[in-house]
Amino acid sequence: MIWRYSWRDSIPLSVTLFQLAINIWLAATWETRTLLQNLLFIPLCLFLFWYNGLVASHNFVHTPWFKLDSLNRFYLAINSINIGLPQAYYRHEHLVHHRFVNDRPDQYGQVQDPTSIFANGKNGQPENVISYCFLGLFRADLLESFRKIGQTGEAPQLYLELAACFLALIGYLILSWQYFLFLFLPTFYLGWVLEHLENYYEHFGGVPENKYANSTSYYASLYNVLFCNEGYHQEHHLRPGVHWTKRHQLRREFRKDFNKVDRVILRFPPALGFLDHRRIVQEQQATQPCAKAI
């Protein structure tokens, strides 16, 4: 067996491989279709980008899928092409997020979590969701993150992933500059907008100072089956090293602690959190059933 935790990791793996394959195919065959026909692929490519960041890239950070480190490192390089940035950068930012979990500004107005929804808010309130999502990509301090990654001894992996991104970029431009301009760039930008939207409502309404209520959760079964139990986000923050197939068990484990606090349980997936963004209920009041691990 090649799997470190579960063969079910082949599900997000298959999605990311399909994402890479369809992007190469679109670039290579761009000239065989009209511009309108090509643009019809944007929703699919955007969904794959969003799913990658939400499920595949995210889970891989915490529980690398393969027993062999060489396979893990190869996958990281390949998937860096999909998300348009080195996976090492994604990992670095995400682990900092887990360490400080959407913290509020200190006395100097600074936050430790670069993805905190409070970082650019006013008067101690979260930032507006629109500016958070659409400006988030431009606020990334890549050079500083690369410097810190290098200090951890992961510079060789970072260089490998940067090389993969660069070579893919050149390859796409050679195959079709129109593909790069009209599909790759819009998908890259809007994909990261969706990633920021997801993160926003995975934490909006949460209490950063309370580890049992600093995030939100969404317990609908279908969503958690299709998205590898990503709805158990509060549970995930409590035990980030637990494989996604076991996250539903954490809800039962922490039920007593959840019952002691008011926390956000969403009625819609986080990407649609704006439809019901302040549903604050206690755990014992929640009526939605636990999703079963697939």
Side-chain angles (χ1 to χ4, degrees):
M1 288 289 292
I2 66 171
W3 307 106
R4 179 174 295 181
Y5 296 94
S6 171
W7 66 267
R8 293 176 176 85
D9 284 326
S10 62
I11 299 170
L13 171 63
S14 298
V15 173
T16 56
L17 293 178
F18 176 69
Q19 179 188 5
L20 181 63
I22 197 170
N23 277 296
I24 294 174
W25 175 76
L26 284 170
T29 62
W30 185 270
E31 302 296 338
T32 66
R33 295 176 298 274
T34 66
L35 178 60
L36 179 59
Q37 289 173 331
N38 281 315
L39 294 181
L40 292 177
F41 284 96
I42 286 183
L44 173 61
C45 293
L46 190 56
F47 172 80
L48 292 171
F49 191 105
W50 171 61
Y51 188 94
N52 187 329
L54 173 64
V55 178
S57 295
H58 177 219
N59 285 322
F60 198 92
V61 164
H62 298 287
T63 54
W65 299 332
F66 306 109
K67 290 183 178 179
L68 293 176
D69 286 340
S70 56
L71 279 179
N72 288 323
R73 294 183 181 280
F74 179 72
Y75 173 79
L76 288 171
I78 292 298
N79 200 43
S80 296
I81 298 172
N82 282 332
I83 65 174
L85 290 170
Q87 186 86 31
Y89 164 76
Y90 179 101
R91 180 178 184 274
H92 169 76
E93 293 289 284
H94 189 68
L95 292 182
V96 172
H97 164 67
H98 267 272
R99 181 180 178 185
F100 297 103
V101 195
N102 195 45
D103 60 327
R104 302 180 195 272
D106 60 19
Q107 58 181 328
Y108 304 106
Q110 302 298 314
V111 298
Q112 300 297 316
D113 177 3
T115 68
S116 174
I117 64 177
F118 294 99
N120 294 282
K122 303 288 186 182
N123 301 317
Q125 296 300 309
E127 181 181 4
N128 179 278
V129 63
I130 300 299
S131 59
Y132 178 85
C133 294
F134 285 90
L135 297 179
L137 182 63
F138 302 108
R139 292 168 173 167
D141 192 343
L142 293 177
L143 294 180
E144 177 62 16
S145 295
F146 291 170
R147 184 184 68 81
K148 291 181 178 179
I149 293 169
Q151 292 176 343
T152 66
E154 296 183 12
Q157 181 64 28
L158 173 63
Y159 297 151
L160 175 63
E161 294 168 13
L162 281 170
C165 290
F166 178 75
L167 291 175
L169 175 63
I170 297 301
Y172 286 146
L173 285 170
I174 292 174
L175 289 172
S176 174
W177 66 265
Q178 293 97 328
Y179 158 81
F180 179 78
L181 180 62
F182 295 115
L183 197 147
F184 179 86
L185 285 181
T187 298
F188 172 78
Y189 173 66
L190 293 176
W192 281 107
V193 168
L194 288 178
E195 300 299 342
H196 281 84
L197 178 65
E198 186 81 21
N199 186 70
Y200 190 92
Y201 285 111
E202 284 180 339
H203 299 92
F204 184 73
V207 182
E209 298 79 15
N210 191 320
K211 67 178 182 178
Y212 298 110
N214 57 22
S215 306
T216 72
S217 288
Y218 175 65
Y219 295 126
S221 297
L222 181 60
Y223 175 84
N224 282 294
V225 168
L226 295 177
F227 290 85
C228 300
N229 288 332
E230 283 297 320
Y232 294 88
H233 196 70
Q234 181 64 75
E235 291 81 353
H236 169 63
H237 266 285
L238 287 166
R239 294 281 179 80
V242 171
H243 192 261
W244 62 266
T245 55
K246 295 179 169 45
R247 282 184 193 151
H248 66 294
Q249 299 172 5
L250 297 178
R251 186 185 184 190
R252 293 193 293 268
E253 179 180 339
F254 290 107
R255 186 176 294 276
K256 290 183 180 179
D257 297 299
F258 288 158
N259 287 341
K260 298 176 183 178
V261 300
D262 287 333
R263 67 190 194 95
V264 179
I265 299 177
L266 299 172
R267 291 200 300 172
F268 299 93
L272 300 175
F274 53 86
L275 297 176
D276 187 26
H277 64 276
R278 289 309 296 268
R279 178 178 163 80
I280 302 179
V281 299
Q282 286 189 321
E283 176 72 5
Q284 68 260 31
Q285 296 173 317
T287 58
Q288 292 170 301
C290 290
K292 295 181 180 180
I294 60 175

